[in-house]
Amino acid sequence: KNQVEQSPQSLIILEGKNCTLQCNYTVSPFSNLRWYKQDTGRGPVSLTIMTFSENTKSNGRYTATLDADTKQSSLHITASQLSDSASYICVVSARGAAGNKLTFGGGTRVLVKP
Amino acid sequence: DGGITQSPKYLFRKEGQNVTLSCEQNLNHDAMYWYRQDPGQGLRLIYYSQIVNDFQKGDIAEGYSVSREKKESFPLTVTSAQKNPTAFYLCASSIETSSRPGELFFGEGSRLTVL
């Protein structure tokens, strides 16, 4: 069964500090992995996409890493801002005969305090 | 601006009533999806449609129905048969391109509360 596990479930950090979110998956056959940011009461927005051959990808202060061998990904937030307070969702896509099938993690809720 | 519009944002329903959530997109995407989001859980797929006049059940389709009469519209009906309908509902669309494979574009969501 395809699964995506995210940790921690929630975390609190001070403004200006860095933090790292983890995503472990057992999805096969792997196609790609996305990180989404979801503000409270809003729809998720894509931050990054990682394919099998990519190890690192950045989007501003967000840097995602992928280790396809251990099936782990991380999202690093640098110099956090109050606007980074949101849930971050890891989504892994598996290739299938009928197209890609997505498996969503439960998300990590980040609260940035001044 | 192109995007996905969901309405209403908030909806209250009495037990035994059917309600319909609207989803409209002007992104010219072929594929559209409905997800349900519960606290602490990953999004779960209710229904999806890859082309007009065709749709497929997702992982939790029981108690829900959809239609896809137009490319731009994919309404979701939550029927009285859905045992636990209180949730946040997200509509999404996608287009498969080599540079952005499988990226979902989400609406702002509709929060349904059953009284």
Side-chain angles (χ1 to χ4, degrees):
Chain A
K1 180 182 177 184
N2 289 339
Q3 286 187 312
V4 176
E5 300 289 338
Q6 291 187 242
S7 62
Q9 279 194 324
S10 63
L11 67 93
I12 301 173
I13 59 173
L14 292 176
E15 187 177 12
K17 299 297 185 183
N18 305 336
C19 67
T20 300
L21 316 179
Q22 299 292 339
C23 173
N24 296 340
Y25 62 91
T26 55
V27 173
S28 180
F30 177 85
S31 176
N32 60 73
L33 182 149
R34 284 189 183 274
W35 284 93
Y36 285 82
K37 178 186 179 187
Q38 184 178 21
D39 292 317
T40 301
R42 309 287 294 273
V45 176
S46 179
L47 289 175
T48 66
I49 178 174
M50 309 283 289
T51 57
F52 188 85
S53 59
E54 295 173 308
N55 299 118
T56 303
K57 184 169 286 187
S58 292
N59 177 1
R61 294 179 297 100
Y62 300 104
T63 299
T65 65
L66 174 66
D67 186 334
D69 292 330
T70 61
K71 298 187 177 181
Q72 295 180 326
S73 176
S74 66
L75 180 69
H76 185 75
I77 304 175
T78 303
S80 61
Q81 300 177 358
L82 297 179
S83 60
D84 293 329
S85 294
S87 288
Y88 293 84
I89 302 172
C90 176
V91 185
V92 184
S93 178
R95 285 193 305 276
N100 287 346
K101 180 173 174 59
L102 303 179
T103 303
F104 289 78
T108 293
R109 184 178 296 274
V110 174
L111 176 61
V112 181
K113 288 192 170 183
Chain B
D1 286 352
I4 299 180
T5 302
Q6 289 187 239
S7 63
K9 178 78 173 173
Y10 300 96
L11 185 61
F12 297 89
R13 188 194 91 175
K14 293 181 180 179
E15 284 191 21
Q17 288 182 333
N18 293 353
V19 293
T20 297
L21 308 181
S22 169
C23 178
E24 302 279 333
Q25 56 103 353
N26 59 5
L27 299 167
N28 200 32
H29 288 173
D30 288 314
M32 296 187 73
Y33 311 81
W34 274 104
Y35 289 92
R36 171 180 171 140
Q37 187 174 37
D38 295 284
Q41 296 188 37
L43 273 67
R44 292 183 289 169
L45 181 64
I46 304 173
Y47 269 98
Y48 66 99
S49 168
Q50 294 181 312
I51 196 169
V52 175
N53 291 323
D54 186 52
F55 49 82
Q56 307 295 328
K57 291 182 179 180
D59 300 318
I60 56 165
E62 185 176 353
Y64 300 97
S65 66
V66 294
S67 63
R68 187 85 187 277
E69 297 176 1
K70 299 186 301 181
K71 186 175 184 178
E72 301 81 14
S73 179
F74 191 41
L76 173 74
T77 297
V78 185
T79 75
S80 56
Q82 169 48 234
K83 299 304 180 188
N84 186 21
T86 295
F88 190 55
Y89 291 89
L90 286 162
C91 179
S93 69
S94 71
I95 187 168
E96 199 71 20
T97 67
S98 58
S99 60
R100 308 179 82 159
E103 179 176 1
L104 293 174
F105 293 82
F106 287 90
E108 294 291 274
S110 293
R111 185 168 298 282
L112 172 63
T113 302
V114 174
L115 304 173

